[in-house]
Amino acid sequence: MAQIKTTGMYKSFPRSGSDTKTSHYCAGCGHGIVHKLIAEALFDLELQDETIIFNPVGCSVFGYYYLDAGHISAAHGRSPSAATGIARTLKDRTIICYQGDGDLGAIGLNSTLQAANRGEHIAVIFINNATYGMTGGQMAPTTLAGMKTRTTPFGRDPLTDGYPLHVCEMINELKAPVYIERVSVADTRRIMKARKAVRKALKIQKENRGYAFVEIIAPCPIGLKSTPLETARFCMEEMEAEFPLVCLRDNSADQPLLPTPKKIVSVKDFFENSGTDLGISTAVPDESFKELRMKFSGYGGQGVLSLGLWLAEAARIDRRFTTWFPSYGPEQRGGAASCAVVVSGRTVGSPDADHPDLLVAMNQVAYERFIGDVLPGGFAFVDLTVPINVEPRAGVRLISVPALKLAEEFGITQSANTVILAAISAFGVSNLSRESLLSSLDAGFRKKPELAIKNKKLFVKAETWIKDQWKSSEVRECESAEIAASEDTAHGTGRGIC
Amino acid sequence: MPLNESGNVNPKQPMPLINAAECKGCERCVEACPAKCLRISDKLNCRGVKAVEYIGKGCTGCGICFYNCPEPYAIVIDKP
C-alpha cells in the first residue's frame, strides 16, 4: 500500500519542552508548503546526510526543528557569506540558503548579490511574501506599490518608499548564476512547478554546477491580515502582476565552469619561519624570570613596530613566552604608531602594556602620551630630539639617546631603531641575551640579508659608542639619583645624556 | 463512514488520513481538492479550530490536498 506523506522531516518537533508534530507556522502559511517540498527533494535525492541549511532571521528561523539535515543560523541576511565559507571548504556538501524577503532583499541584499556574482555553489530559496511576517507585517522591499502594511498604513508610496524590489531580475543581470526561477505556492499547479524548481536547484548543487536561485511567492495570511484562501488569491493575482512567474535562466545542462586550482600555502610557508627550523619550537616556563612589559612608540616609519618585533624575536630565541601587540592608525607612514611587547617566563595574559617597565619614545607626541605610564624602577629610552617638557614619575630612569643622529652618522638614516636596540642591549634592561638581540636583526631583515649585515654592524658600533658615553656621564647619573632619593623615592630619577 | 486516523477503513479505496489534531483549519485543502471530498468539520479539535474532515467518499488519491497543506503531518494519503 502506497502512501503520499511527508518525508525528510523529523518524526516530531520537540520545542520548548513540548513534543509536538505540529509546525509553528500560522494556518495557510507558505513556509510549511516549501519546507515539505525541500524535505521531500532532499529525501528523494538522498542529500539529507550531506546538506547544510542556513536558516534566516524570520519565521523560518526554526527550520532546524523540521528539516532532517544539517543546519546553521547566520547573522541576519548573512547566510550567503557564511554559506560561501562552508561551500568552499566543504566542497562535497549541498548548501541551501533559505531566506525571506527581509533577510535576503533588505539587510542581506549585498551579501546575496556578491555571492550570486561569484557564482558560489549554493541553492538560495527566497521566500517572497511581500511583508515582514514574524515582526508583525511591516513593509518589506517586495511590498507592492499601494499595499497597506503596518508601516505603510496608507499604502506603499513608491515615491517615498521605493518600488517593489525584483531580486530575480537583479540577479539575472549577473553572469555567474546557473539557474534563476520565480515560482509560487499559491495553488496546486503552482506548487507542482515550485516542487520542480526546488528539485532542480538541489540537483544543481548535488552535481556541483553552481549558483541556483529560486524565488517562491508564498502567502502570509497573518502578515497581510487576511484569510488563507484570500491571501492565496492575492498571491496569484496581485503579486504575480508585479512579480511574473518566469524561469529567467536555466544553464543547468551546460558544462560547469571550474576555477583553476589555487596553490595551497601552508601556515609555515606563509609565516616563512615558524621557529622549528631553528630548533626552537616552544617557550620554556621559568618562574624566576621577571616579566617585562615594554612599549615602543613614535610615528609610523620610524621603525618602532619593527623594533618591537625584534625584541619579541629575541625573546623567542631565548625561549621566553612573548607577545607583540601593535597599535597604529590607517596611515602607512606618518601617523602615531606604537606596539607593546611582553616577555615572560610563563604564558602571557594581557598582551598590552598599559604600565610598561620599558618605554621607547621616538617623538615628542609619543613621549608625552606614554611617559606618565612608566612604572617606578622602569626605563625610558627617548630620542635626543625629544624635548623633555614632562617629567617622568619618580623612580623612572630617563635615557636620551641620539638615535636619529647616530643612525644618520653611521650612514643608515632609517635605522634609528637599531640604535635604540643597541642602547637596550648596552644598558642590559631587557633581561634578554645580547646574542639574541643581535640575531633578532637577522630575522627582521630576512628578506634583505645585506641590510641585516649593515644593521648588525650599526648595532655593534652604536652599542660601543653608548657604553663609552655612558661611562663619562655616570657621575651625573649618580648625582641625580641621590637628589631623587632624598625626595622620598625608592630608586630615584636618573637622566643620563649620552 | 467514520474518520479513521490510524488506518484506512477500506483498503481498496484511496483515502486521506487526516490527523485532526495537527490541522489549523486554513481550508487550503478543501479549496484545492478536485473531487471536493474534504470539508471543514462542525466540531472543534483539541486546539480549538474547526479541522478538515473527509466526507467519506470520492478520494482519488491525487495528493493535491497533501501538497497544499502547510502542516507536515496533518494529511497522509493512503493509496491501495
Side-chain angles (χ1 to χ4, degrees), chain A residues 52 181 209 239 273 326 335 384 426 467 478 483:
Chain A
I52 299 165
E181 180 157 11
R209 285 176 181 275
M239 290 276 287
N273 179 2
L384 192 60
K467 277 181 173 167
C478 290
I483 294 161

Side-chain angles (χ1 to χ4, degrees), chain A residues 124-167:
Chain A
V124 179
I125 308 291
F126 168 39
I127 305 296
N128 176 2
N129 57 13
T131 185
Y132 279 77
M134 184 176 77
T135 49
Q138 290 84 358
M139 188 191 86
T142 49
T143 296
L144 305 182
M147 189 175 146
K148 286 182 182 175
T149 67
R150 184 151 294 191
T151 43
T152 53
F154 308 110
R156 179 177 188 167
D157 180 359
L159 295 180
T160 51
D161 310 331
Y163 292 87
L165 199 66
H166 291 236
V167 184

Side-chain angles (χ1 to χ4, degrees), chain A residues 141-257:
Chain A
T142 49
T143 296
L144 305 182
M147 189 175 146
K148 286 182 182 175
T149 67
R150 184 151 294 191
T151 43
T152 53
F154 308 110
R156 179 177 188 167
D157 180 359
L159 295 180
T160 51
D161 310 331
Y163 292 87
L165 199 66
H166 291 236
V167 184
C168 266
E169 282 77 0
M170 289 170 81
I171 288 177
N172 197 30
E173 290 295 314
L174 307 171
K175 276 188 178 171
V178 169
Y179 175 57
I180 307 165
E181 180 157 11
R182 184 187 286 119
V183 292
S184 166
V185 290
D187 73 352
T188 313
R189 188 170 59 84
R190 290 169 170 81
I191 290 171
M192 287 303 139
K193 273 199 156 181
R195 181 170 177 264
K196 264 189 193 166
V198 167
R199 292 170 97 87
K200 182 170 273 178
L202 295 188
K203 216 164 159 233
I204 288 168
Q205 297 318 305
K206 189 178 182 179
E207 292 165 3
N208 236 351
R209 285 176 181 275
Y211 186 87
F213 187 88
V214 180
E215 174 173 345
I216 302 179
I217 293 178
C220 178
I222 304 299
L224 301 179
K225 297 177 182 56
S226 182
T227 65
L229 295 181
E230 184 53 33
T231 314
R233 188 207 57 77
F234 168 83
C235 284
M236 287 186 279
E237 293 171 10
E238 293 172 48
M239 290 276 287
E240 281 176 29
E242 179 70 38
F243 300 108
L245 304 185
V246 281
C247 178
L248 291 168
R249 187 184 303 177
D250 183 2
N251 298 337
S252 60
D254 296 359
Q255 201 59 32
L257 297 171

Side-chain angles (χ1 to χ4, degrees), chain B:
Chain B
M1 190 185 288
L3 276 179
N4 189 335
E5 287 172 17
S6 58
N8 195 337
V9 289
N10 185 355
K12 286 183 181 169
Q13 292 290 322
M15 177 186 175
L17 305 175
I18 295 163
N19 188 353
E22 310 302 337
C23 179
K24 288 170 176 166
C26 71
E27 300 184 40
R28 282 183 62 103
C29 56
V30 179
E31 172 85 4
C33 179
K36 298 289 167 210
C37 64
L38 295 170
R39 68 179 171 216
I40 289 295
S41 165
D42 296 334
K43 283 176 268 175
L44 299 174
N45 71 359
C46 61
R47 295 175 183 279
V49 301
K50 288 180 176 173
V52 68
E53 64 181 15
Y54 181 42
I55 63 170
K57 58 181 182 188
C59 178
T60 60
C62 66
I64 282 175
C65 57
F66 168 81
Y67 283 109
N68 270 279
C69 178
E71 279 302 312
Y73 295 123
I75 300 179
V76 173
I77 311 297
D78 221 10
K79 285 163 84 171

Side-chain angles (χ1 to χ4, degrees), chain A residues 324-344:
Chain A
W324 174 77
F325 192 58
S327 163
Y328 47 84
E331 311 93 329
Q332 284 280 319
R333 297 283 184 274
S338 72
C339 68
V341 173
V342 181
V343 180
S344 181

